[in-house]
Amino acid sequence: MRKNKIQKFHSKILLPQSAIKETVAYIHSQCNILPQLGIVLGSGLGNVADRIIDCSKTVIPYSSIPHFPQPTVAGHHGNLVLGLCQNIPIAIMQGRFHLYEGHTVETILYPIQILAKLGVETLILTNAAGGLNPKIPVGSLVIIKDQINFMFIRLGDDFTQWGRPIYDERLIQLALNIAKKEKLQVATGVYIGAKGPSYETPAEIRMFQKMGADMIGMSTVLESIAANELGMKVLGISCITNLGAGITPAKLTHEEVLDISQKTSCNLSILITELVKNIE
């Protein structure tokens, strides 16, 4: 059933099957690990990979992987890391790709399709996000309970998918239970994804708040939809790196985003490690 989903989704993309086979074959030539779990690390969160891998790991630069895009945004390492976490084979993407970098939809979703082809069944998507809810302080981790696609791009044509949760409810509850046990500062919220690359104006922030969003970023929404189409269970985690314009008078910089992300990565590492330990 899942194989049929993967084939159906691949039939919608522009990159040929030969490219996908070449990419997967190269990764297999570098490492014999068959990952069951995939993790995508957002801006400033790349060092989480070093914290959660059990022992030795294989690091494959994106630049060496056939047909793989290259990240251009600071804070995205640009590596595929394969190894074991709690004796579970995992694949970690240190960095992702964005529409505002000039990539096409097909390009930014290519790595998600490769993870599915490698055997990933559960995908954890992380991101650095701007806070829209003043009750969720900077430095918090937020489990994404739902999302708003403000990128005006629709994926898939199967109307039976409408109304189905994007994020796995069992994984959400598991993450919350772990956070409570580990005494981590974690909330739940709705993530809204915009194309970027500019940060939002105070008026736009007010609009997104009225739409019911708790945090905003420039990634994740399309990846989560694609992962669902490919039959993966998805968990989303945002790191609140700043409050949106107008909520605070402070001027926002990308350096600030990276700094808060790196400081929060320790808590994220604890959460992910415990999740891997408890995911069936």
Side-chain angles (χ1 to χ4, degrees), residues 158-227:
D158 186 351
F159 286 98
T160 63
Q161 301 299 316
W162 291 100
R164 183 170 60 86
I166 291 290
Y167 297 97
D168 187 86
E169 294 178 355
R170 189 186 68 84
L171 291 177
I172 291 173
Q173 192 56 55
L174 178 60
L176 292 174
N177 291 342
I178 290 171
K180 183 177 181 181
K181 178 183 176 182
E182 299 295 328
K183 296 181 172 57
L184 302 176
Q185 189 174 1
V186 172
T188 60
V190 174
Y191 178 90
I192 186 167
K195 284 185 179 180
S198 60
Y199 294 117
E200 296 72 28
T201 66
E204 289 169 338
I205 292 297
R206 292 193 295 273
M207 176 182 68
F208 293 138
Q209 287 174 324
K210 290 180 180 179
M211 291 171 68
D214 296 288
M215 57 270 187
I216 185 166
M218 304 171 195
S219 65
T220 303
V221 292
L222 299 182
E223 296 168 347
S224 65
I225 296 170

Side-chain angles (χ1 to χ4, degrees), residues 105-137:
V105 174
E106 292 77 17
T107 300
I108 66 172
L109 295 181
Y110 188 66
I112 304 300
Q113 296 168 73
I114 296 302
L115 290 177
K117 277 287 190 178
L118 290 173
V120 169
E121 298 177 350
T122 300
L123 182 65
I124 300 176
L125 298 171
T126 74
N127 59 60
L132 302 177
N133 186 340
K135 294 182 180 179
I136 303 178

Side-chain angles (χ1 to χ4, degrees), residues 37 39 48-54 84-88 90 92 124 174 178 182 184 237 265-279:
L37 175 75
I39 303 170
V48 170
D50 298 322
R51 296 175 184 269
I52 69 173
I53 297 292
D54 290 341
L84 298 177
C85 177
Q86 303 296 313
N87 291 319
I88 302 297
I90 65 173
I92 303 175
I124 300 176
L174 178 60
I178 290 171
E182 299 295 328
L184 302 176
I237 307 173
S265 64
C266 180
N267 287 343
L268 180 60
S269 301
I270 294 171
L271 180 59
I272 289 179
T273 300
E274 292 300 313
L275 276 166
V276 174
K277 192 185 298 184
N278 290 277
I279 287 177

Side-chain angles (χ1 to χ4, degrees), residues 2 9 38-43 45 62 68-69 71 76 92-101 103-116 120-128 144 147-151 153-156 164-168 191-194 217-238:
R2 183 167 181 267
F9 187 78
I39 303 170
V40 178
L41 298 175
S43 295
L45 299 171
Y62 292 164
F68 230 66
H76 291 261
I92 303 175
M93 285 182 57
Q94 286 182 307
R96 56 154 55 88
F97 316 98
H98 307 82
L99 291 171
Y100 68 76
E101 294 176 83
H103 297 303
T104 63
V105 174
E106 292 77 17
T107 300
I108 66 172
L109 295 181
Y110 188 66
I112 304 300
Q113 296 168 73
I114 296 302
L115 290 177
V120 169
E121 298 177 350
T122 300
L123 182 65
I124 300 176
L125 298 171
T126 74
N127 59 60
I144 305 175
Q147 66 182 28
I148 299 171
N149 183 355
F150 207 72
M151 293 184 173
I153 295 171
R154 188 175 69 86
L155 299 177
R164 183 170 60 86
I166 291 290
Y167 297 97
D168 187 86
Y191 178 90
I192 186 167
M218 304 171 195
S219 65
T220 303
V221 292
L222 299 182
E223 296 168 347
S224 65
I225 296 170
N228 271 269
E229 290 266 348
L230 291 164
M232 288 186 267
K233 295 178 180 178
V234 182
L235 177 69
I237 307 173
S238 291

